Amino acid sequence: MTDSTTVAATGLVPEPAAVLRPPRVKSPSGRGSMVRGLGYPIAAFGLLLAVWELVKVLVPANGISIGDQRILPRTTDGALPHVWAVVTVLGEKDGKRTVGATLLHTAGFTLGLALSALVLGTIVGVALAVLMQRFSFVERGLLPYVIVSQTVPLIALAPLVAGWGGRIHIGGQPWKPWMSIVVIAAYLVFFPVAIGMLRGLQSPAKASVELLHSCAAGWWGTLLHLRLPAAVPHLLPALRLGAAASVIGAVVAEISTGTAGGIGRQIIVFSQQSTGNAARLYAAVFAAALLGVVLTALVGLAEFALRRYSRPGHSSGGTR
């Protein structure tokens, strides 16, 4: 019996949605996707350690040179310790603490500064992006300077910020050295956030903006209900870059300003002790790298909370 005969006999017309509905594709389970997402970085880290030990075994202690030019570095313990030496050094005594406890304490101090810088830089970056989206003349006048600002090296900026901060009192309280570190690190954070957020705010199609305007929505209503949700897929990658930049900025600022208590200063201390064995120095560097992983994981939690907005829209053509 044909479809037309069935329709004539029953008097029922199939719904277009039922006819045109595409087949459902089963999406991969969340747990399996999470395992794969964690498996790749772990495998890459394991490969890095294997290459490290392979270089330690195959490359001569004095490295490999062609003429007067060294093409492969030295592999002595003072330059490249074994992986297990970096791990076992965590249990060695370092004053009243062990090396591992010292790194945990100093890394916690730097983590707090980097997190504060990430928050401050995000607030400044989002505010600048909203301002530039609202007023085109502000974007044309300010955006070039936002880009040029990132060409100023932190090592030159840090003494200036520390010097300016020494003349500032907030609520009757003097400027603290850690505040300079937060400001310097936030200087690196606000740039990717401002650029990504501006791109996201300008991403909604003209038809979507006109639709809200036809419903009597003003600029504020359009910002809340259209532009901010559309900006989330652009903001989250910028936050990941900002998280890494906040750690870099905090470590460099600690070294440049001579602020004690953080992982940056601890790297300098261990580098001065690494004349014969660089295991402590490498352990401190790895601890600093783990701070970036921790902050990136926090951004991942924000991405999970905003997952309903995490897909970029299919429309294109940004408007004001």
Side-chain angles (χ1 to χ4, degrees):
M1 183 180 292
T2 62
D3 293 341
S4 59
T5 306
T6 304
V7 170
T10 61
L12 299 176
V13 179
E15 296 181 1
V19 175
L20 300 177
R21 185 180 297 118
R24 292 184 177 179
V25 180
K26 185 178 294 185
S27 60
S29 62
R31 181 175 299 178
S33 177
M34 184 180 299
V35 170
R36 285 193 297 272
L38 292 175
Y40 289 127
I42 293 174
F45 184 69
L47 180 62
L48 172 64
L49 297 183
V51 171
W52 181 340
E53 284 300 318
L54 191 63
V55 170
K56 182 77 173 174
V57 171
L58 298 180
V59 178
N62 290 326
I64 297 178
S65 301
I66 297 179
D68 295 332
Q69 186 67 37
R70 180 180 285 111
I71 60 174
L72 288 179
R74 292 188 296 268
T75 58
T76 59
D77 290 340
L80 186 69
H82 285 285
V83 173
W84 56 82
V86 177
V87 176
T88 56
V89 78
L90 298 177
E92 293 182 1
K93 279 290 186 182
D94 181 54
K96 297 181 179 179
R97 300 189 182 104
T98 62
V99 172
T102 298
L103 292 178
L104 186 63
H105 176 75
T106 54
F109 178 81
T110 304
L111 178 63
L113 298 181
L115 184 58
S116 301
L118 180 61
V119 173
L120 177 60
T122 299
I123 293 173
V124 173
V126 170
L128 286 176
V130 171
L131 188 64
M132 288 189 288
Q133 187 280 319
R134 179 65 178 89
F135 303 104
S136 59
F137 68 89
V138 174
E139 179 186 354
R140 290 193 296 268
L142 187 61
L143 187 58
Y145 293 100
V146 171
I147 296 173
V148 170
S149 69
Q150 299 304 296
T151 63
V152 179
L154 284 186
I155 196 170
L157 184 66
L160 294 177
V161 175
W164 294 336
R167 302 182 179 92
I168 296 175
H169 288 74
I170 300 177
Q173 298 297 323
W175 185 267
K176 304 292 185 181
W178 63 266
M179 296 179 181
S180 298
I181 297 175
V182 171
V183 171
I184 294 168
Y187 174 80
L188 290 183
V189 175
F190 92 96
F191 174 73
V193 173
I195 299 300
M197 190 68 180
L198 178 61
R199 177 68 182 89
L201 292 174
Q202 295 176 345
S203 64
K206 184 177 180 180
S208 301
V209 177
E210 291 178 347
L211 176 61
L212 283 182
H213 287 173
S214 67
C215 298
W219 175 82
W220 183 252
T222 304
L223 176 68
L224 291 180
H225 299 292
L226 177 62
R227 295 193 185 277
L228 287 180
V232 171
H234 301 268
L235 177 62
L236 292 175
L239 285 178
R240 294 192 204 103
L241 293 175
S246 67
V247 175
I248 296 172
V251 171
V252 172
E254 288 174 356
I255 295 174
S256 301
T257 61
T259 304
I263 194 70
R265 190 64 183 171
Q266 198 61 44
I267 289 175
I268 297 298
V269 172
F270 283 163
S271 68
Q272 296 170 350
Q273 302 174 357
S274 63
T275 53
N277 191 341
R280 291 191 175 191
L281 176 60
Y282 275 82
V285 171
F286 274 115
L290 285 176
L291 293 181
V293 175
V294 172
L295 280 183
T296 304
L298 293 178
V299 174
L301 293 178
E303 185 174 358
F304 179 78
L306 298 172
R307 62 190 181 279
R308 60 177 296 187
Y309 303 111
S310 60
R311 282 189 176 183
H314 297 291
S315 59
S316 60
T319 61
R320 292 192 178 276

